[in-house]
Amino acid sequence: MVAVAATLVAVAATLVSVTTALVAVAALLLVALVVVVPIALVVLRVFPAPTLLLALRPIALRLSFALTLAP
């Protein structure tokens, strides 16, 4: 009987920790959405998309080249 109770307590603790982790991930996603989207909108308003893409192209090429050479 004690073993069953201990197992139930362990299962409950696991469920609580999983729920806490999911809530933390949801909170991080919400913060990222609230912070990243307005910044992205401002950046796209200041730098139109073609200009931004042309500016990021050399960085993307270097990164892809570095990733290609990575072991």
Side-chain angles (χ1 to χ4, degrees):
M1 196 63 159
V2 174
V4 172
T7 304
L8 289 176
V9 168
V11 168
T14 304
L15 287 175
V16 167
S17 65
V18 167
T19 305
T20 305
L22 288 175
V23 168
V25 168
L28 284 174
L29 287 174
L30 184 63
V31 167
L33 199 66
V34 168
V35 171
V36 171
V37 169
I39 291 173
L41 290 175
V42 168
V43 167
L44 286 175
R45 188 169 300 262
V46 172
F47 302 105
T51 307
L52 190 64
L53 290 176
L54 284 175
L56 293 177
R57 189 168 182 250
I59 298 169
L61 288 173
R62 284 190 197 116
L63 184 62
S64 66
F65 185 70
L67 289 176
T68 305
L69 294 178

